[in-house]
Amino acid sequence: MARYGELFLKSKPVKFHFIGMLLRNIGKALSASGLSYHFETPRGRILIHGNQPEAISSVVSRIFGIVDVSICSRTSPRLDDICGEAVSLASANLRAGMSFAVRAKRQQKTGLDSQELGTLIGSAVFDHIPGLEVDLDTPDYEIFVEVRDFGGLVYDSRIAAPGGLPWGTQGRVLALLSSGIDSPVASWLMMKRGCETTHLHLDAGRWAGKDVALAAIENHRRLSRWCPGNPLSLVIADSEILYDRMDELHIAPRYRCVICKRFMQRVAGCLMEKEGALAVITGENLGQVASQTLANLSVISEAVMIPVLRPLITYDKEEIIALARRIGTFDAHPGDLTCRTVPSMPATAAILEVIKKCEEKMNIEEITDGTLSEIQFVIALNGEIVKDM
Ligand code: ATP
Ligand code: MG
């Protein structure tokens, strides 16, 4: 049984549409893992029937829009059947000296209420297994029972899923993906919120550490595990010329980071429409590095008239790393990811007019066109690269 969260709040037609997307996503994910299944969708729940419940629950607990998943036994609506199932599940898991609680829920408004149902089942468990203690606050073991129109559901665990909104319900975004820790998390957060993503990596060539492009592709590959059954595109654009030009023209080193990030926005702005994206996503985070002061972020945003979303803006680094570990994009030994253009003292409050003058001198438009003419695609599907450059 999969529970969905926020979809409850939607109007009927929107909910219907979102649940349809959710079922499509679950179906694609299960098929991608070679699992057979069929659905039942009673009010407020998705029931997935299949003969590999552990494998199914592990796939479904990674689907955006799902809050948690339980492996259930399904019984008839008769109380003795439900009680019998609860007792047999408890017998397999409870031993003398342990405490337990029954959490019961009833859909019907007539007959026993939820509390009475819980007490009834609790007594049956208590009578069958000697030496137990009831503890409703912090029990060692919980049994959940739901009585619905179609029958009873009995289970003893709730596997947390990511929540959010069904993937594909919120349109497409173009996410700037680096070799680092932050941007994969930013992209994942947008996926979790229902967005399809196209990734964009700018390859600085000789100005980037030798493992940078590979690590960005690895981030992309790992993120594709979160939209199983759907190919994920990464655009790689060659941006070496930008850094060559800053070097040749002796642009003040302290402006390089802001010029670099404005350039990324320019390239993203040009690709957005082609990719059908409605916003650009970055992993920028307030105060993390010199280019991410409020003053610099506003100079960066000024480069193009596009919506730029920064889902990590208020996160602490520790929080980002914890999420990256959970998502599976954290890499403890990522290799040589140095940036060879980063100055020792980057400007923390670049003046827009000064930056614009530098860009004019560099002929930034021509550089942008050059970068856009050198793009390649890497497609990932189900955690594997299926089409390489
Ligand atoms: P990250 O922030 O992802 O850990 P980073 O620390 O190397 O990577 P920053 O300098 O913090 O990068 O860059 C801020 C944001 O700019 C990144 O989160 C990412 O969205 C984007 N970005 C940085 N480098 C690149 C790149 N080479 N290609 C595409 N986007 C990039
Ligand atoms: Mg960063």
Side-chain angles (χ1 to χ4, degrees):
M1 173 177 66
R3 271 187 215 83
Y4 41 84
E6 252 180 83
L7 304 196
F8 276 120
L9 304 174
K10 304 283 174 216
S11 67
K12 229 176 173 179
V14 175
K15 189 155 53 177
F16 187 75
H17 169 63
F18 278 27
I19 291 173
M21 295 290 272
L22 199 48
L23 293 178
R24 187 201 65 168
N25 294 345
I26 297 173
K28 277 191 173 187
L30 292 173
S31 301
S33 296
L35 293 163
S36 54
Y37 62 91
H38 74 266
F39 292 131
E40 213 183 326
T41 51
R43 203 159 64 102
R45 300 281 187 267
I46 296 174
L47 301 183
I48 306 150
H49 300 262
N51 52 14
Q52 285 173 268
E54 269 83 18
I56 290 179
S57 70
S58 105
V59 170
V60 178
S61 62
R62 291 166 63 90
I63 298 283
F64 299 122
I66 300 292
V67 172
D68 63 31
V69 181
S70 297
I71 299 178
C72 306
S73 300
R74 165 90 173 264
T75 72
S76 79
R78 287 182 31 215
L79 265 181
D80 53 346
D81 267 355
I82 299 170
C83 246
E85 187 58 42
V87 168
S88 93
L89 187 62
S91 306
N93 293 283
L94 278 171
R95 294 179 313 279
M98 286 173 77
S99 62
F100 79 105
V102 176
R103 313 287 186 206
K105 241 190 234 158
R106 239 187 118 83
Q107 199 178 27
Q108 293 95 337
K109 295 279 173 271
T110 55
L112 295 180
D113 67 20
S114 299
Q115 208 181 341
E116 289 165 336
L117 178 69
T119 310
L120 188 87
I121 295 170
S123 309
V125 171
F126 198 78
D127 291 346
H128 273 80
I129 309 164
L132 295 185
E133 194 188 310
V134 175
D135 179 350
L136 297 182
D137 299 322
T138 49
D140 298 326
Y141 181 73
E142 287 176 297
I143 311 165
F144 301 88
V145 171
E146 292 190 21
V147 184
R148 303 191 145 251
D149 298 335
F150 58 80
L153 294 170
V154 180
Y155 52 97
D156 64 358
S157 74
R158 297 171 71 145
I159 305 155
L165 294 173
W167 189 82
T169 58
Q170 302 301 310
R172 183 171 289 277
V173 292
L174 182 63
L176 281 165
L177 187 70
S178 75
S179 54
I181 297 166
D182 306 330
S183 52
V185 176
S187 171
W188 183 87
L189 284 170
M190 295 308 293
M191 290 167 91
K192 171 176 180 282
R193 209 54 209 162
C195 293
E196 295 185 52
T197 32
T198 299
H199 288 140
L200 168 62
H201 178 71
L202 288 141
D203 181 354
R206 69 192 173 94
W207 299 95
K210 72 172 174 38
D211 300 310
V212 167
L214 288 175
I217 294 173
E218 180 60 9
N219 282 335
H220 173 67
R221 183 187 73 75
R222 293 180 185 193
L223 283 166
S224 75
R225 295 177 183 145
W226 288 94
C227 52
N230 296 287
L232 191 62
S233 303
L234 162 67
V235 178
I236 300 190
D238 181 351
S239 62
E240 193 174 53
I241 174 181
L242 176 83
Y243 311 96
D244 287 344
R245 190 75 55 93
M246 284 200 272
D247 189 47
E248 281 156 27
L249 297 177
H250 306 291
I251 298 294
R254 64 207 177 94
Y255 297 139
R256 282 184 204 149
C257 295
V258 169
I259 293 174
C260 165
K261 292 298 177 311
R262 276 171 61 92
F263 176 73
M264 290 183 183
Q265 293 296 340
R266 281 174 196 275
V267 175
C270 296
L271 274 174
M272 240 176 94
E273 203 178 332
K274 219 164 108 209
E275 289 299 316
L278 301 169
V280 168
I281 312 303
T282 80
E284 284 162 323
N285 170 253
L286 189 57
Q288 189 187 82
V289 289
S291 64
Q292 295 170 14
T293 58
L294 269 186
N296 280 344
L297 288 173
S298 76
V299 173
I300 293 168
S301 292
E302 194 275 346
V304 269
M305 286 289 292
I306 51 173
V308 180
L309 306 179
R310 300 177 167 101
L312 298 181
I313 196 73
T314 63
Y315 283 48
D316 291 349
K317 193 74 188 186
E318 284 309 310
E319 295 173 301
I320 299 173
I321 291 175
L323 252 180
R325 286 187 197 280
R326 191 179 134 214
I327 298 166
T329 53
F330 184 80
D331 205 337
H333 305 287
D336 171 16
L337 305 184
T338 44
C339 169
R340 306 214 162 98
T341 66
V342 71
S344 53
M345 294 281 278
T348 51
I351 312 281
L352 182 59
E353 290 318 309
V354 176
I355 297 289
K356 282 184 161 176
K357 283 220 172 76
C358 297
E359 289 174 343
E360 218 171 285
K361 189 168 154 197
M362 290 164 63
N363 198 351
I364 197 83
E365 260 134 60
E366 180 218 26
I367 301 176
T368 311
D369 291 345
T371 291
L372 285 165
S373 68
E374 292 287 329
I375 63 173
Q376 291 162 314
F377 283 84
V378 177
I379 311 294
L381 178 67
N382 307 330
E384 281 176 39
I385 300 297
V386 291
K387 177 180 171 282
D388 212 337
M389 310 182 279

